[in-house]
Amino acid sequence: MASSSSMMSFFLACLLLVCMAALMQCASSQGQGPPVLAVASNARATTLKCTNTKNNKTTCSATCNKRCPHKCLIQCPSCKTFCLCDFYPGVSCGDPRFTGADGNNFYFHGNKDKDFCIVSDADLHINAHFIGKRNPAMSRDFTWIQALGIRFAHHHLYVGAAKTPKWNSDVDHLALAFDDDDHLDVPRFVGARWSPPTAPALSVTRTARVNTVVIELRGVFRIVANVVPITAEDSRIHNYGVTEDDDDSLAHLDLGFKFYDLTDDVHGVLGQTYRPDYVNSLNVTSKMPVMGGAPNYLSSDLFSTDCAVARFRGGRHQAAPAVNIAMVTDDDME
């Protein structure tokens, strides 16, 4: 029975992947943007809208399902809604559960207080810093992604969840830094946008007043980052061993990745699933498929490109027909 249930989950994930691909194609042809992130309230449903980018008119609206614990996405132009941590390609949530480009879900536990390369390509490298908590009844750490270190061209972008003793949803727990600016202050209102003059194709946009942003490097990637805590209820359900008396809310990032310009040689925990020759060797019928081989992805620090599977060449690679990131970030493309 368990195998049958797992196979059904696998089938549904594949079906969602096919539907998402079709919807994205339709959106492109009708002047719609990629999925739009909005806040989903637990107290009441939130109404989301699709807007035609050509005439800036609302084409349809939909109500976000109350089952979404933190955030939901609306897919335009169909106005289909789903939760940020639903199974769709490029998602990383919780005790990191990834959904690969092939639509299959897997866990990568890594190690507490270590950094791992999750995407490494010729012109793009993304490391993740893991935090964790050891439950004495377990043989491993429970882990979560606390921060991303993103390298492109000669730039360094930090996106993280600030350590927070007690969680307050009205306070912004998001930490951002870029190159020599170790504290980016993006105004706290929906739609507030930051973009550096040295990399005008890069932007950070708030989709909620606090704790949620969309980071985009035009033509290269789009990342939804949402800071969330581990609650006592989370701990009760998953046996994390977290109590209300703890002095760390274990604030971490739920993430959604969309890549537009990866090469066929991309690697990393998540990146390898985008390779055309990728073969999934995980047991997809397992209740919790786990990707091993952590030493292959271990980096010496958050911005190092020294993991065993690293592909990054610092934006100097010119052979691939992909977007030249050095040009994208240093030229005014407006």
Side-chain angles (χ1 to χ4, degrees):
M1 179 65 71
S3 176
S4 176
S5 176
S6 297
M7 286 299 293
M8 178 59 72
S9 297
F10 171 60
F11 170 76
L12 290 174
C14 291
L15 181 60
L16 180 59
L17 174 62
V18 172
C19 292
M20 283 289 291
L23 288 169
M24 289 297 287
Q25 179 63 34
C26 183
S28 176
S29 65
Q30 297 188 29
Q32 305 285 350
V36 177
L37 184 74
V39 178
S41 169
N42 288 327
R44 57 184 175 81
T46 300
T47 299
L48 311 175
K49 298 178 180 180
C50 283
T51 302
N52 188 301
T53 57
K54 293 181 178 179
N55 56 26
N56 204 34
K57 292 184 178 179
T58 298
T59 57
C60 63
S61 60
T63 300
C64 195
N65 197 305
K66 290 183 179 180
R67 71 180 178 83
C68 296
H70 301 295
K71 297 287 182 292
C72 75
L73 293 160
I74 183 169
Q75 174 66 59
C76 299
S78 65
C79 271
K80 301 292 185 183
T81 61
F82 51 96
C83 302
L84 174 58
C85 290
D86 282 347
F87 302 153
Y88 72 95
V91 163
S92 171
C93 287
D95 183 12
R97 186 205 73 220
F98 292 87
T99 303
D102 59 352
N104 287 311
N105 304 300
F106 63 90
Y107 287 83
F108 178 78
H109 300 305
N111 299 102
K112 176 184 177 182
D113 300 326
K114 299 293 184 182
D115 303 295
F116 296 90
C117 58
I118 57 174
V119 176
S120 187
D121 206 1
D123 293 333
L124 176 67
H125 189 93
I126 303 175
N127 284 342
H129 180 74
F130 284 49
I131 57 172
K133 184 177 179 61
R134 173 60 61 94
N135 186 327
M138 301 285 289
S139 60
R140 67 167 183 87
D141 296 327
F142 288 111
T143 53
W144 300 272
I145 293 177
Q146 179 267 330
L148 296 180
I150 304 173
R151 296 276 307 272
F152 58 95
H154 53 278
H155 299 296
H156 299 67
L157 175 65
Y158 174 89
V159 182
K163 185 172 181 178
T164 307
K166 299 297 179 182
W167 180 261
N168 182 342
S169 60
D170 293 326
V171 174
D172 193 29
H173 304 282
L174 186 69
L176 300 165
F178 181 71
D179 290 346
D180 295 331
D181 188 347
D182 59 5
H183 178 71
L184 298 184
D185 187 14
V186 183
R188 296 178 186 178
F189 61 87
V190 176
R193 182 178 184 274
W194 169 90
S195 182
T198 56
L202 174 69
S203 64
V204 177
T205 304
R206 288 194 185 272
T207 56
R209 192 181 64 84
V210 294
N211 297 319
T212 308
V213 293
V214 172
I215 305 109
E216 185 166 13
L217 181 59
R218 189 164 56 247
V220 181
F221 65 72
R222 188 172 190 265
I223 301 172
V224 174
N226 182 39
V227 182
V228 294
I230 295 298
T231 65
E233 180 64 10
D234 293 331
S235 183
R236 184 189 68 79
I237 294 172
H238 299 289
N239 197 30
Y240 290 146
V242 175
T243 69
E244 293 182 350
D245 296 328
D246 288 354
D247 61 356
D248 189 354
S249 65
L250 295 171
H252 61 280
L253 299 174
D254 282 343
L255 298 158
F257 296 92
K258 174 67 178 175
F259 300 105
Y260 302 102
D261 192 44
L262 297 175
T263 72
D264 292 348
D265 192 43
V266 63
H267 219 299
V269 174
L270 176 63
Q272 63 187 303
T273 68
Y274 290 82
R275 296 171 64 103
D277 61 353
Y278 175 69
V279 177
N280 190 333
S281 60
L282 303 175
N283 180 6
V284 296
T285 64
S286 170
K287 182 179 180 181
M288 190 174 74
V290 177
M291 178 178 288
N296 293 326
Y297 311 106
L298 183 64
S299 296
S300 58
D301 64 57
L302 188 59
F303 285 108
S304 289
T305 59
D306 56 1
C307 63
V309 298
R311 301 294 193 265
F312 187 65
R313 302 185 185 182
R316 294 184 298 272
H317 181 59
Q318 302 294 327
V323 173
N324 185 311
I325 293 182
M327 292 179 62
V328 167
T329 59
D330 291 333
D331 288 350
D332 186 354
M333 297 182 61
E334 297 296 334

